[in-house]
Amino acid sequence: MLNSDTRFAPPRRRLLKAAAGLMTLLVTPAGLAQGASRVLAVRVWPARDYTRITLEYADSVRYSHQIVKNPERLVVDLEGVEFDSVLQSLPGKISDSDPYIKLLRAGRNRPGVVRLVVELKAEINPQVFTLPPAGSYGPRLVLDLYPTQPVDPLLALLEKDSPAAATSPEAAAANPHDTPRPAQAEKDAIKPARGNVRPITIALDPGHGGEDPGAVGAKGSFEKNITLDVAQRLKAKIDAEPNMRAMLTRDADFFVPLQQRVEKARRVQADLFVSIHADAFIRPEARGSSVFVLSDKGATSTAARWLANKENAADLVGGVNLGVKDAHLAKTLLDLSQTATLNDSLKVAKSVLGELGNVNQLHKGQVEQASFAVLKAPDIPSLLVETAFISNPEEEKRLNDEAYQDRLAEAMLRGIKRYFAKNPPLASTRPA
């Protein structure tokens, strides 16, 4: 008698192979061609500065794009990509308030090619580029839609200072999407809000944003949201002070490269740059507030060096278009001979750290230093505030509390005012 395993082995293998093939058909989405790439997610980040569309996919894709006129459209063809439920959901990702996009849609253009059509509200300058995997993201295709007239941070600041900038219904109707206005004409028409007295200008930099969430708390809190909330509260307090005004490097949930944050501060001729963050560490028991300034000699501690490296990696996660050269790069890199700026940074940092100690325990009793890219303005005193550890469950809860956010903002304001009371900016250094 033959061994049963020997007799039935070949048919059994064929049966199993057939069953496996059937299961593959059942779990494979209808119409998914073998070897085609899947779009895993589409994210849209609308803002006055620009709107970003990000497509995250499983494998590399080939693409081409063009601007089509009458009406204005950005058309992007994706080769080797399947038209699935993610792409079908695109129209619902655009809000009426988006400054630049009217509608986003996709469809099969020809076999193996999906066409994305971005219907626009006005002419734009698009930047289309790919990003390698970074952080928790896979490969990404990025569509950055910039206005043809770039947003001028100084103009925006002057508009808010001007009594003529009251938001009347007529003004709102004339500019419903808060899009940029002609720069020079507006500048010529605007007068300083407080006569000939030059207001102290403070650039507030809410860390992270858009594609870059920053640190994530145990309860799911995003650092980028907390930093924006605290920065907006601090801005309101500064704007309420006589002879002081504040500018935000971002006023919504969008990504700003580190170098552009510095450049925005220099464009408004800021007297102080304050970058606001919420710390994280591998151990949940780490806690306390910290204040950092730039180091020209190396980090003052291993933790400071680790934090600087983490914050400097924000451009990789957020997604910088490396194909665009920054014309101001040479001007904004650190000049190590300008020690006066670093000395002023230390003074204001000590003042702010002392006030934060009245609201939260301090992680370190002294100002720390490390090579933070965002602090490298050569002519502006700059500090980075780690409000608390979002990785600590107790501090994460407090960071989400509006009353606590307000106390943090109030403490930073007191520290800033105390510094400027002893170190007023020279009237001759920057015009009003």
Side-chain angles (χ1 to χ4, degrees), residues 347-408:
K347 289 178 184 178
V348 65
K350 289 177 182 177
S351 183
V352 170
L353 183 67
E355 294 296 337
L356 285 172
N358 297 322
V359 176
N360 190 22
Q361 81 171 56
L362 299 180
H363 185 64
K364 289 286 183 69
Q366 68 279 346
V367 174
E368 292 205 78
Q369 294 182 251
S371 185
F372 290 92
V374 80
L375 301 182
K376 291 187 177 181
D379 51 352
I380 306 174
S382 304
L383 63 147
L384 186 146
V385 177
E386 293 286 358
T387 52
F389 278 82
I390 197 173
S391 54
N392 180 297
E394 181 183 343
E395 291 202 334
E396 178 188 10
K397 182 178 179 180
R398 297 174 74 189
L399 284 170
N400 282 285
D401 181 73
E402 293 184 2
Y404 186 68
Q405 292 178 358
D406 200 69
R407 291 173 63 198
L408 288 171

Short mmCIF file of all heavy atoms in Angstrom, two decimals, residues 347-408:
data_model
loop_
_atom_site.label_atom_id
_atom_site.label_comp_id
_atom_site.label_asym_id
_atom_site.label_seq_id
_atom_site.Cartn_x
_atom_site.Cartn_y
_atom_site.Cartn_z
N LYS A 347 20.98 87.27 27.91
CA LYS A 347 20.32 88.16 28.88
C LYS A 347 18.80 87.94 28.87
O LYS A 347 18.18 87.76 29.92
CB LYS A 347 20.63 89.61 28.57
CG LYS A 347 22.06 90.05 28.86
CD LYS A 347 22.25 91.51 28.46
CE LYS A 347 23.70 91.95 28.65
NZ LYS A 347 23.89 93.35 28.21
N VAL A 348 18.20 87.98 27.67
CA VAL A 348 16.75 87.84 27.61
C VAL A 348 16.33 86.42 27.95
O VAL A 348 15.28 86.20 28.58
CB VAL A 348 16.22 88.26 26.22
CG1 VAL A 348 16.71 87.35 25.12
CG2 VAL A 348 14.70 88.34 26.22
N ALA A 349 17.17 85.43 27.62
CA ALA A 349 16.85 84.04 27.96
C ALA A 349 16.82 83.83 29.46
O ALA A 349 15.94 83.15 30.00
CB ALA A 349 17.86 83.10 27.30
N LYS A 350 17.78 84.43 30.17
CA LYS A 350 17.80 84.32 31.63
C LYS A 350 16.56 84.98 32.24
O LYS A 350 15.99 84.47 33.21
CB LYS A 350 19.07 84.96 32.18
CG LYS A 350 20.34 84.18 31.89
CD LYS A 350 21.57 84.91 32.40
CE LYS A 350 22.85 84.14 32.06
NZ LYS A 350 24.07 84.88 32.48
N SER A 351 16.16 86.11 31.67
CA SER A 351 14.98 86.80 32.17
C SER A 351 13.72 85.96 31.98
O SER A 351 12.89 85.84 32.89
CB SER A 351 14.84 88.15 31.46
OG SER A 351 13.74 88.88 31.96
N VAL A 352 13.57 85.37 30.80
CA VAL A 352 12.40 84.54 30.52
C VAL A 352 12.43 83.27 31.36
O VAL A 352 11.39 82.84 31.90
CB VAL A 352 12.33 84.20 29.02
CG1 VAL A 352 11.26 83.14 28.73
CG2 VAL A 352 12.05 85.46 28.20
N LEU A 353 13.59 82.65 31.49
CA LEU A 353 13.69 81.43 32.30
C LEU A 353 13.28 81.69 33.74
O LEU A 353 12.57 80.88 34.37
CB LEU A 353 15.12 80.88 32.25
CG LEU A 353 15.36 79.56 32.99
CD1 LEU A 353 14.63 78.42 32.30
CD2 LEU A 353 16.86 79.25 33.07
N GLY A 354 13.71 82.83 34.29
CA GLY A 354 13.34 83.16 35.66
C GLY A 354 11.84 83.29 35.86
O GLY A 354 11.30 82.84 36.87
N GLU A 355 11.16 83.87 34.88
CA GLU A 355 9.70 84.02 34.97
C GLU A 355 8.99 82.68 34.78
O GLU A 355 7.98 82.41 35.44
CB GLU A 355 9.21 85.03 33.93
CG GLU A 355 9.67 86.46 34.18
CD GLU A 355 9.14 87.05 35.47
OE1 GLU A 355 8.09 86.55 35.97
OE2 GLU A 355 9.74 87.99 36.00
N LEU A 356 9.49 81.83 33.90
CA LEU A 356 8.88 80.52 33.71
C LEU A 356 8.98 79.67 34.98
O LEU A 356 8.12 78.82 35.24
CB LEU A 356 9.55 79.78 32.55
CG LEU A 356 9.20 80.26 31.14
CD1 LEU A 356 10.08 79.57 30.10
CD2 LEU A 356 7.73 80.00 30.83
N GLY A 357 10.02 79.91 35.78
CA GLY A 357 10.17 79.18 37.03
C GLY A 357 9.06 79.47 38.02
O GLY A 357 8.86 78.70 38.98
N ASN A 358 8.31 80.56 37.81
CA ASN A 358 7.16 80.87 38.67
C ASN A 358 5.89 80.15 38.23
O ASN A 358 4.89 80.17 38.94
CB ASN A 358 6.91 82.39 38.67
CG ASN A 358 8.06 83.17 39.24
OD1 ASN A 358 8.70 82.74 40.21
ND2 ASN A 358 8.35 84.34 38.66
N VAL A 359 5.95 79.54 37.05
CA VAL A 359 4.77 78.84 36.51
C VAL A 359 4.96 77.33 36.53
O VAL A 359 4.03 76.57 36.79
CB VAL A 359 4.49 79.32 35.05
CG1 VAL A 359 3.33 78.54 34.44
CG2 VAL A 359 4.20 80.81 35.04
N ASN A 360 6.17 76.88 36.25
CA ASN A 360 6.46 75.46 36.15
C ASN A 360 7.84 75.21 36.73
O ASN A 360 8.67 76.12 36.79
CB ASN A 360 6.43 75.02 34.68
CG ASN A 360 6.47 73.52 34.50
OD1 ASN A 360 6.13 72.77 35.41
ND2 ASN A 360 6.89 73.06 33.32
N GLN A 361 8.08 74.01 37.20
CA GLN A 361 9.44 73.71 37.65
C GLN A 361 10.38 73.75 36.44
O GLN A 361 9.96 73.52 35.30
CB GLN A 361 9.51 72.35 38.34
CG GLN A 361 9.59 71.16 37.41
CD GLN A 361 9.87 69.87 38.16
OE1 GLN A 361 9.13 69.50 39.07
NE2 GLN A 361 10.92 69.18 37.78
N LEU A 362 11.63 74.08 36.66
CA LEU A 362 12.59 74.19 35.58
C LEU A 362 13.31 72.86 35.39
O LEU A 362 13.70 72.21 36.37
CB LEU A 362 13.60 75.30 35.87
CG LEU A 362 13.01 76.71 36.02
CD1 LEU A 362 14.12 77.71 36.32
CD2 LEU A 362 12.25 77.12 34.77
N HIS A 363 13.49 72.48 34.13
CA HIS A 363 14.23 71.26 33.84
C HIS A 363 15.70 71.44 34.20
O HIS A 363 16.35 70.53 34.71
CB HIS A 363 14.08 70.89 32.37
CG HIS A 363 14.71 69.59 32.00
ND1 HIS A 363 14.27 68.38 32.51
CD2 HIS A 363 15.75 69.28 31.20
CE1 HIS A 363 15.01 67.40 32.03
NE2 HIS A 363 15.93 67.92 31.24
N LYS A 364 16.23 72.60 33.90
CA LYS A 364 17.58 72.99 34.29
C LYS A 364 17.52 74.40 34.87
O LYS A 364 16.76 75.25 34.39
CB LYS A 364 18.53 72.96 33.09
CG LYS A 364 18.87 71.55 32.58
CD LYS A 364 19.83 70.85 33.54
CE LYS A 364 20.24 69.47 33.03
NZ LYS A 364 21.11 69.54 31.84
N GLY A 365 18.33 74.66 35.85
CA GLY A 365 18.29 75.96 36.51
C GLY A 365 19.01 77.06 35.77
O GLY A 365 19.03 78.21 36.24
N GLN A 366 19.60 76.75 34.61
CA GLN A 366 20.31 77.76 33.86
C GLN A 366 19.96 77.64 32.37
O GLN A 366 19.45 76.62 31.92
CB GLN A 366 21.83 77.64 34.03
CG GLN A 366 22.45 76.39 33.41
CD GLN A 366 22.32 75.15 34.27
OE1 GLN A 366 21.99 75.25 35.45
NE2 GLN A 366 22.55 73.99 33.68
N VAL A 367 20.24 78.71 31.66
CA VAL A 367 20.02 78.70 30.21
C VAL A 367 21.02 77.74 29.58
O VAL A 367 22.20 77.73 29.92
CB VAL A 367 20.21 80.12 29.63
CG1 VAL A 367 20.14 80.09 28.11
CG2 VAL A 367 19.15 81.07 30.19
N GLU A 368 20.53 76.92 28.65
CA GLU A 368 21.41 75.98 27.96
C GLU A 368 21.69 76.47 26.54
O GLU A 368 20.97 77.33 26.00
CB GLU A 368 20.77 74.59 27.92
CG GLU A 368 20.68 73.93 29.30
CD GLU A 368 20.64 72.43 29.19
OE1 GLU A 368 21.72 71.83 28.98
OE2 GLU A 368 19.54 71.88 29.29
N GLN A 369 22.73 75.90 25.94
CA GLN A 369 23.13 76.31 24.60
C GLN A 369 23.37 75.09 23.71
O GLN A 369 23.84 74.06 24.18
CB GLN A 369 24.42 77.15 24.66
CG GLN A 369 24.24 78.48 25.35
CD GLN A 369 25.53 79.29 25.35
OE1 GLN A 369 26.16 79.48 26.39
NE2 GLN A 369 25.91 79.80 24.19
N ALA A 370 22.99 75.24 22.45
CA ALA A 370 23.23 74.20 21.45
C ALA A 370 23.09 74.83 20.08
O ALA A 370 22.65 75.99 19.94
CB ALA A 370 22.26 73.03 21.62
N SER A 371 23.43 74.09 19.04
CA SER A 371 23.44 74.63 17.69
C SER A 371 22.08 74.47 17.01
O SER A 371 21.90 73.67 16.09
CB SER A 371 24.53 73.94 16.86
OG SER A 371 24.64 74.53 15.59
N PHE A 372 21.11 75.27 17.45
CA PHE A 372 19.77 75.26 16.85
C PHE A 372 19.80 76.09 15.56
O PHE A 372 20.14 77.27 15.60
CB PHE A 372 18.74 75.84 17.81
CG PHE A 372 18.45 74.98 19.00
CD1 PHE A 372 19.16 75.15 20.18
CD2 PHE A 372 17.46 74.01 18.97
CE1 PHE A 372 18.89 74.37 21.29
CE2 PHE A 372 17.19 73.22 20.07
CZ PHE A 372 17.91 73.40 21.23
N ALA A 373 19.39 75.49 14.45
CA ALA A 373 19.40 76.20 13.17
C ALA A 373 18.48 77.41 13.19
O ALA A 373 18.78 78.44 12.56
CB ALA A 373 18.99 75.24 12.04
N VAL A 374 17.38 77.33 13.92
CA VAL A 374 16.39 78.40 13.90
C VAL A 374 16.84 79.62 14.72
O VAL A 374 16.19 80.67 14.67
CB VAL A 374 15.03 77.87 14.40
CG1 VAL A 374 15.00 77.80 15.93
CG2 VAL A 374 13.87 78.69 13.86
N LEU A 375 17.93 79.51 15.44
CA LEU A 375 18.43 80.62 16.25
C LEU A 375 19.60 81.34 15.59
O LEU A 375 20.26 82.16 16.23
CB LEU A 375 18.86 80.12 17.64
CG LEU A 375 17.78 79.44 18.48
CD1 LEU A 375 18.35 79.04 19.84
CD2 LEU A 375 16.58 80.35 18.66
N LYS A 376 19.85 81.08 14.31
CA LYS A 376 21.08 81.58 13.68
C LYS A 376 20.92 82.91 12.96
O LYS A 376 21.63 83.18 11.99
CB LYS A 376 21.63 80.52 12.73
CG LYS A 376 22.18 79.30 13.45
CD LYS A 376 22.89 78.34 12.51
CE LYS A 376 23.48 77.16 13.29
NZ LYS A 376 24.19 76.20 12.41
N ALA A 377 20.04 83.78 13.41
CA ALA A 377 20.00 85.13 12.88
C ALA A 377 21.18 85.91 13.46
O ALA A 377 21.31 86.00 14.68
CB ALA A 377 18.68 85.82 13.24
N PRO A 378 22.06 86.48 12.63
CA PRO A 378 23.26 87.11 13.17
C PRO A 378 23.02 88.43 13.88
O PRO A 378 23.87 88.88 14.65
CB PRO A 378 24.12 87.32 11.91
CG PRO A 378 23.13 87.44 10.81
CD PRO A 378 22.00 86.52 11.16
N ASP A 379 21.86 89.05 13.63
CA ASP A 379 21.64 90.39 14.15
C ASP A 379 20.40 90.50 15.04
O ASP A 379 19.98 91.60 15.37
CB ASP A 379 21.52 91.38 12.99
CG ASP A 379 20.50 90.92 11.94
OD1 ASP A 379 20.03 89.77 12.04
OD2 ASP A 379 20.20 91.69 11.02
N ILE A 380 19.79 89.39 15.43
CA ILE A 380 18.59 89.41 16.28
C ILE A 380 18.82 88.53 17.49
O ILE A 380 19.07 87.32 17.34
CB ILE A 380 17.35 88.90 15.51
CG1 ILE A 380 17.15 89.66 14.20
CG2 ILE A 380 16.11 89.02 16.38
CD1 ILE A 380 16.03 89.08 13.34
N PRO A 381 18.72 89.06 18.71
CA PRO A 381 18.75 88.18 19.89
C PRO A 381 17.67 87.11 19.75
O PRO A 381 16.52 87.42 19.46
CB PRO A 381 18.47 89.14 21.04
CG PRO A 381 18.88 90.48 20.53
CD PRO A 381 18.57 90.48 19.07
N SER A 382 18.05 85.86 19.98
CA SER A 382 17.14 84.74 19.71
C SER A 382 17.20 83.72 20.83
O SER A 382 18.28 83.43 21.36
CB SER A 382 17.52 84.06 18.38
OG SER A 382 17.52 84.98 17.31
N LEU A 383 16.03 83.18 21.18
CA LEU A 383 15.97 82.14 22.18
C LEU A 383 14.91 81.12 21.80
O LEU A 383 13.99 81.42 21.03
CB LEU A 383 15.66 82.70 23.56
CG LEU A 383 14.32 83.41 23.76
CD1 LEU A 383 13.80 83.20 25.18
CD2 LEU A 383 14.47 84.90 23.52
N LEU A 384 15.07 79.91 22.32
CA LEU A 384 14.11 78.83 22.09
C LEU A 384 13.58 78.38 23.44
O LEU A 384 14.36 78.03 24.34
CB LEU A 384 14.79 77.68 21.36
CG LEU A 384 13.89 76.52 20.92
CD1 LEU A 384 14.38 75.93 19.58
CD2 LEU A 384 13.85 75.40 21.97
N VAL A 385 12.26 78.43 23.60
CA VAL A 385 11.60 78.09 24.86
C VAL A 385 10.95 76.72 24.73
O VAL A 385 10.12 76.50 23.84
CB VAL A 385 10.54 79.14 25.24
CG1 VAL A 385 9.81 78.71 26.52
CG2 VAL A 385 11.16 80.51 25.42
N GLU A 386 11.36 75.79 25.56
CA GLU A 386 10.67 74.51 25.69
C GLU A 386 9.71 74.65 26.87
O GLU A 386 10.11 74.63 28.03
CB GLU A 386 11.67 73.37 25.93
CG GLU A 386 12.59 73.09 24.74
CD GLU A 386 11.89 72.38 23.59
OE1 GLU A 386 10.69 72.06 23.74
OE2 GLU A 386 12.54 72.14 22.56
N THR A 387 8.43 74.85 26.56
CA THR A 387 7.44 75.20 27.58
C THR A 387 7.30 74.12 28.66
O THR A 387 7.12 74.41 29.84
CB THR A 387 6.08 75.44 26.93
OG1 THR A 387 5.75 74.31 26.10
CG2 THR A 387 6.12 76.70 26.07
N ALA A 388 7.33 72.85 28.23
CA ALA A 388 7.20 71.71 29.15
C ALA A 388 7.40 70.45 28.32
O ALA A 388 7.55 70.51 27.10
CB ALA A 388 5.83 71.70 29.83
N PHE A 389 7.38 69.30 28.98
CA PHE A 389 7.56 68.03 28.27
C PHE A 389 6.21 67.44 27.88
O PHE A 389 5.46 66.97 28.73
CB PHE A 389 8.32 67.03 29.15
CG PHE A 389 9.81 67.22 29.14
CD1 PHE A 389 10.40 68.18 29.95
CD2 PHE A 389 10.62 66.45 28.32
CE1 PHE A 389 11.77 68.37 29.94
CE2 PHE A 389 12.00 66.63 28.30
CZ PHE A 389 12.57 67.59 29.12
N ILE A 390 5.93 67.46 26.58
CA ILE A 390 4.68 66.87 26.10
C ILE A 390 4.71 65.35 26.26
O ILE A 390 3.66 64.69 26.27
CB ILE A 390 4.44 67.26 24.63
CG1 ILE A 390 2.98 67.01 24.22
CG2 ILE A 390 5.40 66.53 23.70
CD1 ILE A 390 2.65 67.54 22.83
N SER A 391 5.91 64.77 26.42
CA SER A 391 6.04 63.33 26.63
C SER A 391 5.75 62.92 28.07
O SER A 391 5.66 61.73 28.38
CB SER A 391 7.46 62.88 26.25
OG SER A 391 8.43 63.65 26.95
N ASN A 392 5.59 63.90 28.96
CA ASN A 392 5.21 63.63 30.34
C ASN A 392 3.68 63.73 30.43
O ASN A 392 3.12 64.79 30.13
CB ASN A 392 5.87 64.66 31.27
CG ASN A 392 5.53 64.46 32.73
OD1 ASN A 392 4.37 64.56 33.13
ND2 ASN A 392 6.54 64.19 33.54
N PRO A 393 2.97 62.68 30.81
CA PRO A 393 1.50 62.70 30.79
C PRO A 393 0.90 63.86 31.59
O PRO A 393 -0.07 64.47 31.14
CB PRO A 393 1.12 61.35 31.40
CG PRO A 393 2.28 60.46 31.11
CD PRO A 393 3.49 61.35 31.20
N GLU A 394 1.47 64.18 32.74
CA GLU A 394 0.95 65.27 33.55
C GLU A 394 1.16 66.62 32.86
O GLU A 394 0.25 67.46 32.81
CB GLU A 394 1.63 65.28 34.92
CG GLU A 394 1.11 66.38 35.84
CD GLU A 394 1.85 66.41 37.17
OE1 GLU A 394 2.52 65.40 37.51
OE2 GLU A 394 1.78 67.43 37.86
N GLU A 395 2.35 66.80 32.31
CA GLU A 395 2.63 68.08 31.64
C GLU A 395 1.88 68.19 30.32
O GLU A 395 1.49 69.29 29.91
CB GLU A 395 4.13 68.26 31.45
CG GLU A 395 4.87 68.47 32.76
CD GLU A 395 6.21 69.17 32.60
OE1 GLU A 395 6.81 69.06 31.51
OE2 GLU A 395 6.65 69.83 33.56
N GLU A 396 1.66 67.06 29.64
CA GLU A 396 0.85 67.09 28.43
C GLU A 396 -0.56 67.60 28.73
O GLU A 396 -1.11 68.42 27.98
CB GLU A 396 0.77 65.69 27.81
CG GLU A 396 -0.11 65.64 26.55
CD GLU A 396 -0.35 64.23 26.05
OE1 GLU A 396 -0.02 63.27 26.78
OE2 GLU A 396 -0.90 64.08 24.93
N LYS A 397 -1.13 67.13 29.84
CA LYS A 397 -2.47 67.58 30.23
C LYS A 397 -2.48 69.08 30.51
O LYS A 397 -3.39 69.81 30.09
CB LYS A 397 -2.93 66.81 31.47
CG LYS A 397 -4.33 67.16 31.94
CD LYS A 397 -4.74 66.32 33.15
CE LYS A 397 -6.13 66.69 33.62
NZ LYS A 397 -6.53 65.87 34.80
N ARG A 398 -1.45 69.56 31.18
CA ARG A 398 -1.38 70.99 31.49
C ARG A 398 -1.18 71.84 30.23
O ARG A 398 -1.75 72.92 30.10
CB ARG A 398 -0.24 71.25 32.49
CG ARG A 398 -0.45 70.57 33.83
CD ARG A 398 0.77 70.73 34.72
NE ARG A 398 0.89 72.08 35.26
CZ ARG A 398 1.95 72.53 35.91
NH1 ARG A 398 3.00 71.74 36.09
NH2 ARG A 398 1.97 73.76 36.38
N LEU A 399 -0.39 71.33 29.31
CA LEU A 399 -0.13 72.07 28.08
C LEU A 399 -1.40 72.25 27.25
O LEU A 399 -1.49 73.19 26.44
CB LEU A 399 0.94 71.36 27.24
CG LEU A 399 2.38 71.50 27.73
CD1 LEU A 399 3.30 70.56 26.96
CD2 LEU A 399 2.86 72.94 27.60
N ASN A 400 -2.37 71.37 27.40
CA ASN A 400 -3.64 71.49 26.68
C ASN A 400 -4.66 72.34 27.41
O ASN A 400 -5.76 72.57 26.89
CB ASN A 400 -4.21 70.10 26.41
CG ASN A 400 -3.53 69.40 25.25
OD1 ASN A 400 -3.77 69.73 24.09
ND2 ASN A 400 -2.67 68.45 25.55
N ASP A 401 -4.32 72.78 28.61
CA ASP A 401 -5.24 73.60 29.41
C ASP A 401 -5.07 75.08 29.03
O ASP A 401 -3.96 75.62 29.07
CB ASP A 401 -4.94 73.40 30.90
CG ASP A 401 -5.87 74.21 31.78
OD1 ASP A 401 -7.06 73.84 31.89
OD2 ASP A 401 -5.41 75.24 32.33
N GLU A 402 -6.17 75.74 28.67
CA GLU A 402 -6.09 77.12 28.21
C GLU A 402 -5.56 78.06 29.29
O GLU A 402 -4.78 78.98 28.99
CB GLU A 402 -7.47 77.59 27.73
CG GLU A 402 -7.95 76.88 26.47
CD GLU A 402 -9.27 77.43 25.98
OE1 GLU A 402 -9.79 78.38 26.61
OE2 GLU A 402 -9.77 76.93 24.95
N ALA A 403 -5.95 77.83 30.52
CA ALA A 403 -5.48 78.69 31.61
C ALA A 403 -3.97 78.55 31.81
O ALA A 403 -3.26 79.53 32.04
CB ALA A 403 -6.22 78.35 32.90
N TYR A 404 -3.47 77.33 31.65
CA TYR A 404 -2.03 77.11 31.79
C TYR A 404 -1.27 77.73 30.62
O TYR A 404 -0.20 78.33 30.81
CB TYR A 404 -1.74 75.62 31.90
CG TYR A 404 -0.29 75.30 32.19
CD1 TYR A 404 0.27 75.62 33.42
CD2 TYR A 404 0.52 74.72 31.23
CE1 TYR A 404 1.60 75.33 33.69
CE2 TYR A 404 1.85 74.43 31.49
CZ TYR A 404 2.39 74.74 32.74
OH TYR A 404 3.70 74.47 33.00
N GLN A 405 -1.82 77.59 29.41
CA GLN A 405 -1.20 78.23 28.26
C GLN A 405 -1.11 79.74 28.47
O GLN A 405 -0.09 80.37 28.14
CB GLN A 405 -2.01 77.94 26.99
CG GLN A 405 -1.96 76.49 26.53
CD GLN A 405 -2.84 76.26 25.31
OE1 GLN A 405 -3.51 77.16 24.81
NE2 GLN A 405 -2.85 75.02 24.82
N ASP A 406 -2.14 80.30 29.05
CA ASP A 406 -2.15 81.74 29.31
C ASP A 406 -1.09 82.13 30.33
O ASP A 406 -0.43 83.17 30.20
CB ASP A 406 -3.54 82.17 29.78
CG ASP A 406 -3.78 83.65 29.60
OD1 ASP A 406 -3.89 84.09 28.44
OD2 ASP A 406 -3.82 84.38 30.62
N ARG A 407 -0.91 81.30 31.34
CA ARG A 407 0.12 81.57 32.35
C ARG A 407 1.52 81.50 31.75
O ARG A 407 2.40 82.30 32.09
CB ARG A 407 -0.02 80.60 33.51
CG ARG A 407 -1.27 80.80 34.37
CD ARG A 407 -1.41 79.70 35.40
NE ARG A 407 -0.28 79.70 36.34
CZ ARG A 407 0.05 78.68 37.10
NH1 ARG A 407 -0.65 77.55 37.05
NH2 ARG A 407 1.07 78.76 37.93
N LEU A 408 1.74 80.53 30.86
CA LEU A 408 3.02 80.44 30.17
C LEU A 408 3.28 81.70 29.34
O LEU A 408 4.39 82.26 29.37
CB LEU A 408 3.06 79.21 29.27
CG LEU A 408 3.17 77.84 29.93
CD1 LEU A 408 2.96 76.74 28.89
CD2 LEU A 408 4.52 77.67 30.61
#
